[in-house]
């Protein structure tokens, strides 16, 4: 759901306030349950801007007499409307639930064929005759939900025509031409008060009269966007579980209790009392999140770090803790899914093995094989000094407490020739990993701008190229998923998941109103050895060039139980130019 909010440029704060995903100035048009339960989802958006009207050049700031400057935001807000964008916007969310999981890949392929948009209205796009013959069989035992919202364009289709994939494609391809003759205001243009000369003059007069602290006090809401997105993700997770618990109470025979284990010491029983208690807990957490969202209006500083440079404690319980305890749905017997992520089998170079050093000999560490490629350009064309292997471990070993991913943002003029092309094609790829350890917190070290304490790679100052911060104290990571295109020399995405399979944090080059999903994308899972004993994410290793992270692997540390040590680590062997990353004992 967070991806939909980002892609449609909707307000996460407003969605929490109203308890549902709302389009601009409209009622809810997203069926949240259908999206969360779907196996395949698509977002189609068309935005047309015909004209931009601004009148800021003719605006004058008119202060209110006898107004306390400290309460400026209460009367005027943090910005003003300087004009409007005129045109049209069309959005469609398509959610497909496939009851036979073995057909997911086939249904996805059929949907992508149907959703191929023609180059111009009237041209044919989509399936060939051979594919058309299979349509009826492919769509059997599936459920498709289409949610549509638009502004501008007038009457975009015949009211008697039903919404299906073909209609969505037809309307999307014709929408820009419809907006030419029927446009409307789609959004306001917001500007800071400091852009008005008359405001700056009025503020300076107050400072001269009352002293340096006597000017207008405007609240800063810039960091609230990241925080409200985290709040929204947690809110929707609890709302989804609240709905699931209602279904469990009605159809208990379709679910089974989870086994008691170290990760799940208190699973929820399949009784009306236990399920209702869990449902009340989810509702309480949703209320806490909504209250925190409302507080941000008066106290936007809650989204920032505290006076010690540390992340403020969350006002709610991490939803993954409840998700791990919920009864699991009894699965239908299906054939293996061909889209299941594969296991990586990369080899480490001498530099990457040297970065690990003596840690490779430790039995309480496990180094996941690297996912990704070597540099896509010869080192002679890149800055050799910035191409290096890395390992985030440091003595004494301390568990990770925070992780945040940074992505590369291409800037024209920084590089030339092949290097510029490499930078441009790496737009949005993983460029740095920010992290904090328990030792950083114990030493009261000052955190960096992104809330972590250390970086590997090339951090980005633009916070829109940061992932959500993962607090591993609330959400222990059990799986790291790495996405890349073979031969590209860059990492397209990294996802951290907890034991329940819930994303703790992630960054992907594609989607979320960014680039399209790359062709030939490989998805590889990294996880600790199976067996007795608990493992925690302790760090990362890999290599970077002058622009992005080339490849990366997770480092896991075994938690000792009663002094018992279990094997697991990386042994170095192989040719002079390569070192094979493998598990010394308990190999998969």
């Amino acid at each position: 759901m967070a991806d939909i909010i980002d892609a449609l440029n909707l307000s996460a704060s407003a969605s929490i306030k109203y308890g549902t995903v709302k389009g601009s100035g409209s009622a809810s048009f997203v069926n949240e349950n259908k999206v969360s339960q779907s196996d395949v989802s698509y977002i189609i958006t068309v935005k047309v801007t015909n004209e931009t009207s601004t009148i800021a050049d003719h605006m004058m700031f008119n202060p209110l007499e006898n107004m306390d400057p400290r309460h400026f935001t209460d009367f005027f807000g943090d910005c003003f409307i300087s004009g409007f964008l005129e045109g049209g916007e069309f959005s469609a969310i398509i959610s497909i639930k496939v009851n036979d999981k073995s057909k997911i890949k086939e249904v996805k392929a059929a949907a992508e064929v149907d959703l191929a948009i023609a180059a111009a209205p009237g041209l044919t796009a989509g399936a060939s005759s051979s594919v058309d013959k299979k349509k009826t069989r492919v769509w059997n035992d599936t459920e498709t939900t289409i949610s549509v919202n638009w502004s501008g364009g007038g009457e975009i289709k015949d009211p008697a025509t039903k919404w299906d994939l073909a209609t969505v494609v037809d309307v999307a391809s014709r929408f820009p031409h419809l907006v030419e003759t029927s446009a409307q205001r789609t959004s306001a243009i917001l500007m800071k008060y400091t852009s008005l000369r008359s405001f700056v003059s009025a503020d300076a007069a107050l400072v001269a009269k009352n002293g340096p602290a006597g000017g207008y006090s405007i609240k800063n809401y810039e960091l609230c966007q990241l925080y409200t997105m985290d709040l929204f993700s947690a809110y929707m997770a609890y709302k989804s579980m609240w709905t699931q618990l209602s279904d469990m109470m009605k159809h208990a025979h379709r679910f089974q209790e989870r086994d008691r284990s170290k990760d799940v010491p208190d699973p929820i029983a399949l009784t009306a009392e236990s399920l209702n208690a869990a449902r009340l807990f989810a509702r309480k957490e949703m209320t806490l999140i909504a209250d925190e969202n409302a507080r941000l209006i008066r106290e936007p500083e809650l989204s920032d770090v505290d006076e010690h440079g540390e992340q403020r404690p969350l006002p709610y319980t991490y939803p993954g803790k409840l998700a791990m305890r919920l009864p699991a749905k009894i699965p239908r017997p299906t054939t293996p899914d061909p889209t299941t992520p594969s296991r990586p089998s990369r080899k480490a170079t001498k530099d990457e093995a040297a970065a690990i050093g003596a840690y490779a000999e430790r039995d309480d560490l496990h180094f996941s094989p690297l996912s990704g490629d070597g540099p896509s350009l010869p080192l002679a064309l890149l800055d050799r000094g910035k191409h290096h292997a890395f390992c985030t471990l440091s003595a004494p070993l301390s568990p990770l407490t925070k992780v945040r991913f940074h992505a590369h943002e291409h800037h024209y003029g920084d590089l030339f020739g092949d290097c510029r092309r490499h930078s441009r094609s790496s737009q949005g790829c993983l460029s740095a990993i920010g992290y904090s350890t328990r030792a950083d917190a114990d030493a009261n070290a000052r955190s960096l701008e992104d809330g972590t304490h250390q970086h590997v790679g090339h951090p980005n100052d633009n916070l829109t190229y940061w992932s959500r911060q993962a607090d591993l104290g609330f959400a222990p990571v059990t799986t790291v998923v790495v996405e890349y295109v073979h031969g590209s020399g860059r990492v397209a995405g990294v996802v951290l998941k907890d034991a329940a399979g819930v994303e703790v944090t992630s960054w992907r080059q594609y989607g979320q109103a960014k680039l399209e999903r790359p062709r030939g994308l490989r998805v590889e899972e990294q996880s600790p050895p199976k067996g007795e004993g608990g493992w925690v994410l302790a760090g990362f290793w890999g290599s970077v060039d002058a622009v992005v992270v080339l490849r990366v692997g997770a480092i896991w540390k075994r938690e000792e139980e009663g002094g018992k040590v279990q094997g697991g680590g990386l042994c170095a062997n192989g040719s002079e130019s390569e070192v094979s990353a493998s598990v010394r004992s308990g190999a998969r």
Side-chain angles (χ1 to χ4, degrees):
M1 292 303 299
D3 292 346
I4 293 176
I5 287 287
D6 192 15
L8 300 182
N9 196 26
L10 303 179
S11 169
S13 178
S15 297
I16 295 174
K17 178 179 178 180
Y18 294 107
T20 186
V21 179
K22 293 171 65 69
S24 177
S26 68
S28 172
F29 79 100
V30 180
N31 192 323
E32 300 150 11
N33 292 333
K34 296 296 184 181
V35 173
S36 61
Q37 296 172 10
S38 65
D39 298 292
V40 183
S41 293
Y42 296 94
I43 303 174
I44 298 177
T45 61
V46 181
K47 296 185 179 181
V48 183
T49 301
N50 288 348
E51 185 179 353
T52 303
S53 59
T54 58
I55 53 177
D57 295 341
H58 308 290
M59 285 185 171
M60 294 289 292
F61 174 70
N62 296 317
L64 296 177
E65 296 183 5
N66 303 321
M67 183 192 74
D68 189 337
R70 295 172 298 178
H71 299 159
F72 178 88
T73 307
D74 296 338
F75 291 89
F76 289 93
D78 65 321
C79 53
F80 67 94
I81 297 176
S82 64
F84 297 91
L85 294 178
E86 296 183 0
E89 294 183 2
F90 171 81
S91 304
I93 300 175
I94 301 170
S95 304
I96 305 172
K97 183 178 181 180
V98 185
N99 294 324
D100 182 357
K101 303 305 179 185
S102 65
K103 293 172 53 179
I104 290 179
K105 189 173 182 180
E106 189 177 1
V107 170
K108 184 178 179 182
E112 290 178 352
V113 169
D114 285 348
L115 291 174
I117 296 179
L123 297 182
T124 301
S128 62
S129 57
S130 60
V131 176
D132 287 334
K133 295 178 182 178
K134 301 179 181 179
K135 278 187 177 181
T136 303
R137 178 178 57 83
V138 169
W139 293 106
N140 285 342
D141 205 20
T142 63
E143 180 183 341
T144 302
T145 303
I146 300 177
S147 303
V148 179
N149 184 51
W150 74 90
S151 60
E155 186 175 315
I156 60 176
K157 76 171 185 67
D158 187 334
T161 303
K162 66 177 183 178
W163 283 107
D164 55 20
L165 299 187
T167 304
V168 170
V169 172
D170 178 62
V171 171
S173 61
R174 292 188 296 107
F175 191 71
H177 300 271
L178 296 173
V179 172
E180 283 187 42
T181 57
S182 181
Q184 69 179 58
R185 289 179 174 181
T186 56
S187 59
I189 301 172
L190 304 179
M191 294 184 67
K192 298 287 187 182
Y193 283 98
T194 50
S195 63
L196 293 176
R197 181 181 181 87
S198 54
F199 172 82
V200 176
S201 299
D203 185 52
L206 282 177
V207 171
K209 178 181 178 181
N210 303 325
Y216 291 121
S217 177
I218 304 178
K219 297 184 184 297
N220 184 7
Y221 294 98
E222 290 184 0
L223 289 179
C224 290
Q225 181 179 2
L226 287 174
Y227 189 40
T228 54
M229 193 63 74
D230 287 342
L231 292 177
F232 174 76
S233 297
Y235 184 91
M236 297 308 299
Y238 274 118
K239 186 175 181 180
S240 176
M241 287 186 283
W242 184 79
T243 304
Q244 291 176 40
L245 286 162
S246 299
D247 188 44
M248 293 176 191
M249 296 174 72
K250 296 177 182 177
H251 309 288
H253 63 282
R254 299 178 183 174
F255 298 85
Q256 59 186 0
E257 295 180 9
R258 294 186 184 272
D259 296 330
R260 192 179 301 274
S261 65
K262 180 182 176 181
D263 292 330
V264 189
D266 55 345
I268 296 173
L270 267 173
T271 63
E273 183 179 4
S274 297
L275 294 175
N276 189 56
R279 194 167 180 266
L280 291 174
F281 176 80
R283 191 177 70 179
K284 183 194 76 172
E285 295 301 306
M286 291 166 63
T287 302
L288 291 175
I289 295 171
D291 290 344
E292 179 76 358
N293 181 66
R295 287 183 63 193
L296 288 175
I297 299 174
R298 299 283 182 181
E299 304 173 73
E301 61 274 7
L302 292 175
S303 61
D304 204 350
V305 295
D306 60 20
E307 61 274 11
H308 304 295
E310 296 295 326
Q311 197 76 29
R312 300 178 188 274
L314 295 174
Y316 58 88
T317 305
Y318 176 67
K321 290 189 174 182
L322 178 60
M324 294 169 61
R325 300 171 55 214
L326 292 181
K329 196 164 188 177
I330 300 175
R332 293 184 180 183
T334 58
T335 57
D337 183 359
T339 63
T340 300
S342 59
R343 291 287 179 186
S345 58
R346 302 285 85 74
K347 290 184 177 181
T349 64
K350 292 178 63 176
D351 288 344
E352 289 165 341
I356 299 172
Y359 291 119
E361 304 302 323
R362 294 186 54 145
D363 289 328
D364 61 342
L365 292 177
H366 170 76
F367 291 77
S368 292
L370 296 172
S371 295
D373 301 311
S376 59
L377 292 176
L379 295 182
L381 296 178
L382 296 170
D383 187 340
R384 183 63 177 88
K386 292 185 178 180
H387 180 278
H388 63 273
F390 66 84
C391 174
T392 64
L393 298 179
S394 60
L397 288 183
S398 182
L400 290 181
T401 57
K402 300 176 183 176
V403 175
R404 192 190 293 274
F405 299 117
H406 290 233
H408 173 66
E409 180 183 12
H410 175 64
H411 295 284
Y412 291 91
D414 291 351
L415 301 168
F416 301 93
D418 290 335
C419 294
R420 174 184 287 182
R421 284 188 285 274
H422 175 52
S423 174
R424 184 170 59 246
S425 59
S426 299
Q427 173 76 13
C429 289
L430 182 68
S431 66
I433 302 173
Y435 63 97
S436 299
T437 65
R438 188 177 299 164
D440 295 322
D442 294 342
N444 291 322
R446 183 174 179 81
S447 60
L448 302 173
E449 187 177 358
D450 68 347
T452 63
H453 290 81
Q454 304 179 61
H455 288 139
V456 292
H458 311 291
N460 195 330
D461 294 334
N462 187 346
L463 57 82
T464 60
Y465 284 80
W466 298 351
S467 72
R468 299 192 308 272
Q469 179 173 283
D471 191 336
L472 305 191
F474 288 94
V477 172
T478 59
T479 305
V480 176
V481 181
V482 181
E483 302 178 355
Y484 71 99
V485 177
H486 180 60
S488 66
R490 57 184 72 94
V491 174
V494 185
V495 182
L496 304 185
K497 295 183 178 180
D498 62 14
V502 178
E503 289 191 9
V504 179
T505 188
S506 64
W507 176 268
R508 293 181 176 87
Q509 175 196 21
Y510 59 91
Q512 302 174 1
K514 297 190 284 288
L515 304 175
E516 294 182 357
R517 178 186 174 95
R519 292 186 177 180
L521 190 71
R522 294 188 177 183
V523 181
E524 297 182 345
E525 280 189 353
Q526 302 178 6
S527 55
K530 297 179 180 179
E532 298 181 2
W535 293 80
V536 296
L537 182 64
F540 298 92
W541 69 300
S543 56
V544 300
D545 64 13
V547 177
V548 290
V549 175
L550 299 175
R551 51 188 186 166
V552 65
I555 305 174
W556 309 92
K557 185 177 186 302
R558 181 186 50 75
E559 291 182 317
E560 296 185 2
E561 297 181 347
K564 184 178 180 180
V565 177
Q566 289 193 325
L570 178 143
C571 68
N573 54 59
S575 65
E576 181 179 356
S577 60
E578 296 184 314
V579 179
S580 174
S582 61
V583 179
R584 197 177 329 119
S585 62
R588 290 189 293 269

